[in-house]
Amino acid sequence: MKKILILMLFISQIIFAKTASWYGKGFDGKPTASGYLYNSEELTCASNTYPFGTVLKVTNKENKKFVIVVVTDRGSFSKKYGRSIDLSKTAFNKIAKSGEGLIKVDIEVVNKKHTFKYKHGSPKFTHKEYKEFLK
């Protein structure tokens, strides 16, 4: 019975694990789904799950490094490629090497007070706020 329980736990980790990838310079300067221009050096992400402006903590399950990002884009990556989130290249590089391509992550909502709908509002995510989240 114990072996079956352990096996089920292992399988659930595989089935429900979240995967992150990155997208980079090839998209720089192009409009995101939120209407803002993409910049691979900003700490942003594409997500089909969270509203634009949501601040997320994305933690690499392997090394426990994390990054705080703002949702500014959408993607067709979830159904087609099985990924949960696409990080900007800079955000990805804070928690993994870009050569890894895909990593297993935990995603946690840090702040939803600056969410906005399609092409309205602004993430208003400042450097000062970022430092506050790291405390």
Side-chain angles (χ1 to χ4, degrees):
M1 181 69 166
K2 189 175 180 181
K3 288 180 182 181
I4 292 172
L5 188 60
I6 292 171
L7 181 61
M8 288 175 60
L9 181 63
F10 178 72
I11 291 171
S12 71
Q13 289 291 323
I14 293 169
I15 293 171
F16 297 111
K18 294 180 176 154
T19 304
S21 61
W22 62 273
Y23 63 131
K25 291 202 177 284
F27 294 94
D28 275 337
K30 295 180 180 175
T32 63
S34 69
Y36 293 94
L37 297 182
Y38 178 73
N39 179 345
S40 62
E41 294 180 12
E42 292 180 351
L43 299 177
T44 60
C45 70
S47 170
N48 292 330
T49 305
Y50 305 98
F52 298 132
T54 303
V55 179
L56 303 173
K57 177 181 178 181
V58 181
T59 304
N60 183 331
K61 289 182 109 172
E62 185 176 310
N63 63 18
K64 305 302 182 212
K65 290 182 180 180
F66 70 90
V67 64
I68 306 293
V69 294
V70 179
V71 178
T72 59
D73 206 358
R74 298 280 183 248
S76 62
F77 47 82
S78 59
K79 287 184 181 177
K80 190 172 183 181
Y81 300 107
R83 297 189 307 263
S84 304
I85 193 168
D86 269 358
L87 300 170
S88 67
K89 185 172 184 179
T90 297
F92 190 93
N93 285 337
K94 287 194 175 285
I95 62 173
K97 294 178 181 169
S98 56
E100 291 182 51
L102 298 174
I103 57 171
K104 299 292 183 196
V105 295
D106 286 322
I107 301 171
E108 174 186 345
V109 174
V110 176
N111 185 331
K112 293 196 297 189
K113 72 179 183 177
H114 296 301
T115 62
F116 59 95
K117 295 185 184 207
Y118 181 72
K119 294 189 180 181
H120 296 285
S122 162
K124 296 178 184 148
F125 187 62
T126 65
H127 185 69
K128 181 181 174 186
E129 284 179 309
Y130 186 84
K131 290 212 176 257
E132 288 295 316
F133 291 123
L134 297 177
K135 287 183 181 178

